[in-house]
Amino acid sequence: MSTPSAITLREVTKTFRGNNGPVEAVRGLDLDVRPGEVVAFLGPNGAGKTTTIDTILGLAEPTSGTAEVFGQVAHVFSTYESRHAAGDGAAITISAIAITITISAKFKPSR
């Protein structure tokens, strides 16, 4: 029996409106991350790293495709949800700003 994915992205695309027309930040991304795996996103500026992470965290909605965290569809968090999720899930630091969210499973030390 295989271990279910902690993060699953299928055909994720994110398009933004640019000054000269649409800009694809992420195009058709597929990704599976198993519980306990460590993943790094590497690439030049504008490669879609932050947009991909924002999609996983529920800070951005994909233009198309699906993003799931522990089998639950990632959704865009409201300001209220984002503020009140502290201490309940995962944290990520982007440009020295800590963003904390709940990802449907609480991490607690085993006793």
Side-chain angles (χ1 to χ4, degrees):
M1 178 178 262
S2 67
T3 305
S5 293
I7 298 168
T8 303
L9 303 179
R10 292 290 171 260
E11 288 296 315
V12 169
T13 298
K14 181 65 177 177
T15 305
F16 294 99
R17 195 172 38 229
N19 291 336
N20 298 320
V23 175
E24 265 188 331
V26 178
R27 183 183 312 140
L29 178 62
D30 289 321
L31 175 71
D32 283 301
V33 179
R34 305 276 180 230
E37 287 184 326
V38 176
V39 176
F41 291 89
L42 303 174
N45 290 345
K49 301 175 300 290
T50 300
T51 301
T52 298
I53 293 168
D54 286 351
T55 301
I56 294 166
L57 294 175
L59 300 173
E61 189 171 2
T63 304
S64 64
T66 59
E68 294 182 356
V69 178
F70 292 110
Q72 301 294 315
V73 174
H75 72 283
V76 176
F77 284 90
S78 68
T79 303
Y80 175 86
E81 288 172 313
S82 296
R83 282 191 204 140
H84 291 85
D88 287 347
I92 185 167
T93 302
I94 301 172
S95 302
I97 299 172
I99 302 169
T100 305
I101 65 146
T102 299
I103 56 173
S104 80
K106 295 184 180 183
F107 299 99
K108 296 181 181 177
S110 57
R111 297 193 178 179

